[in-house]
Amino acid sequence: MVLNVSLNDALFIGKTQIMHFKIIFSLLIVVFSVPEAYNQDNSNEKHKYFLTDFCILAGEITQVKNTTSVEKYQKFLPQASLLKTDFSDFSSGGGGTDRNSSAILSVLASFKKVNAQHKSLRFGASIFENTYVAAYASRYVNQPLDTVTYTQTGEKFYRSRSSFRNYGMQTESINFRLDAAYIYNFFPDDRILFYSGICLGSNFSLNAHTNIYYSFEDYTRMESENGSVLFGPESYGWTDMPERINHKGNFGVNIYVPLGLDFQLTEKGDFHKTHLIYEFRPGFNGQFGGLGHYSGKQWEHKFGLKFALK
């Protein structure tokens, strides 16, 4: 997939994301380091953080796909030729499933203080696809034409002209997310441990675009006096390729609770520092962009490997 991002946009996105990451990092340090200020031990080494491990995780992220109106799409994408239609007599809605699932890849690194067995700070970067908003509009029209009478049987058929028009809009992007988490490890000396915590993150979108789909069907409908219906399409069609409009992306904030299982492969040998990880992340996300503000639940399932350095 080709990412259509200008240099100025990339620089702006990068500076913005670094600023948000610094804010998140600072908040976590302040919130979770205040109790340490009362420690009477003034040793510098005790208050330093050391890199202890890094993880590579892959899995699935599921988010609520928000709905919007066709009118918002018309204002947001005035250049779209398929949206120049008068939709005043169309019915509209969210368009299909209310959930969006896609693959996600994450790289994480954890830091601990000396002798801090249970507590750690973890920082990560993730990339995933996102379909965060959609809409559709449809119209069905049935226009009476005439009455047909069969001479052999005298049966009457009422003939009408029916037509169906359907438009669908779907906004997609590639999302890059940075996050910072406070992690508490239960049973840190065992080969199998459980961990949990709290995480804050922010994401921005790359290659944001909206695909607009169109289909139609026209046919003659014949209904008999007893209610049976005979009809067949006379013409039908759809857009071979959707009309794609590239536009500015969205910015998002995330908060979730990591719930994980950590299994050390062996206590000795070449793989004693390699761990299998499963992590479930229920959470909440908010998206801000040209189509407005959208928020909802999200959850992630991830599997991967952790490589301990200490």
Side-chain angles (χ1 to χ4, degrees):
M1 181 177 292
V2 179
L3 300 181
N4 299 313
V5 182
S6 67
L7 178 59
N8 290 334
D9 288 343
L11 291 174
F12 174 76
I13 289 172
K15 291 179 180 179
T16 303
Q17 195 70 5
I18 291 173
M19 179 185 68
H20 294 147
F21 190 67
K22 287 181 177 179
I23 293 173
I24 293 170
F25 175 77
S26 300
L27 286 174
L28 284 172
I29 292 294
V30 170
V31 170
F32 296 112
S33 295
V34 167
E36 299 292 341
Y38 298 95
N39 194 325
Q40 298 301 316
D41 188 349
N42 295 319
S43 170
N44 290 330
E45 287 296 318
K46 187 174 181 179
H47 295 282
K48 287 183 179 180
Y49 283 89
F50 297 91
L51 176 63
T52 57
D53 59 73
F54 67 93
C55 302
I56 300 176
L57 302 178
E60 182 181 68
I61 179 172
T62 301
Q63 297 174 305
V64 173
K65 186 171 69 174
N66 298 280
T67 62
T68 190
S69 65
V70 178
E71 289 74 21
K72 281 190 176 182
Y73 268 112
Q74 287 180 309
K75 292 179 181 179
F76 182 56
L77 303 173
Q79 71 274 37
S81 60
L82 287 176
L83 296 183
K84 298 187 184 299
T85 304
D86 180 9
F87 292 101
S88 59
D89 58 345
F90 280 66
S91 61
S92 60
T97 178
D98 62 350
R99 295 178 181 179
N100 167 56
S101 297
S102 63
I104 182 170
L105 178 66
S106 302
V107 178
L108 312 170
S110 296
F111 297 81
K112 290 182 181 179
K113 289 183 178 181
V114 176
N115 298 325
Q117 293 291 322
H118 296 277
K119 303 174 184 178
S120 63
L121 290 177
R122 191 180 73 179
F123 302 93
S126 303
I127 188 168
F128 57 96
E129 288 187 316
N130 187 20
T131 303
Y132 65 95
V133 67
Y136 78 89
S138 61
R139 182 184 65 184
Y140 172 76
V141 176
N142 185 50
Q143 180 182 3
L145 295 177
D146 53 23
T147 301
V148 177
T149 302
Y150 281 90
T151 57
Q152 294 181 351
T153 63
E155 186 177 8
K156 292 182 179 181
F157 288 86
Y158 303 99
R159 189 169 63 169
S160 59
R161 182 72 172 174
S162 298
S163 65
F164 178 77
R165 300 290 183 271
N166 183 67
Y167 293 81
M169 291 126 269
Q170 190 162 280
T171 300
E172 303 171 339
S173 64
I174 300 293
N175 276 31
F176 182 74
R177 183 180 70 196
L178 294 176
D179 55 45
Y182 170 77
I183 301 295
Y184 189 88
N185 298 286
F186 299 87
F187 320 114
D189 296 325
D190 296 343
R191 286 184 61 187
I192 300 178
L193 65 86
F194 169 75
Y195 64 86
S196 184
I198 187 71
C199 179
L200 300 175
S202 66
N203 66 272
F204 62 89
S205 59
L206 301 170
N207 199 32
H209 62 276
T210 294
N211 290 324
I212 307 170
Y213 303 86
Y214 169 68
S215 63
F216 71 89
E217 187 174 353
D218 296 311
Y219 53 87
T220 298
R221 173 188 174 101
M222 297 187 69
E223 183 175 355
S224 67
E225 291 178 303
N226 62 15
S228 61
V229 177
L230 301 174
F231 65 89
E234 296 178 358
S235 63
Y236 59 91
W238 56 87
T239 50
D240 292 332
M241 294 292 291
E243 181 180 6
R244 171 172 168 149
I245 306 295
N246 296 319
H247 50 75
K248 290 185 178 180
N250 62 299
F251 165 75
V253 293
N254 316 93
I255 180 170
Y256 64 82
V257 176
L259 302 170
L261 289 174
D262 182 327
F263 174 67
Q264 184 181 5
L265 289 182
T266 62
E267 294 183 353
K268 299 179 180 180
D270 295 335
F271 296 100
H272 76 284
K273 292 187 177 182
T274 303
H275 300 235
L276 292 177
I277 301 292
Y278 167 73
E279 186 169 304
F280 173 59
R281 299 181 177 185
F284 177 86
N285 80 90
Q287 303 291 331
F288 307 87
L291 285 166
H293 162 63
Y294 302 94
S295 60
K297 296 179 292 183
Q298 72 173 37
W299 52 94
E300 302 174 30
H301 294 274
K302 292 184 178 180
F303 296 88
L305 295 174
K306 183 179 84 172
F307 303 96
L309 304 178
K310 291 184 178 292

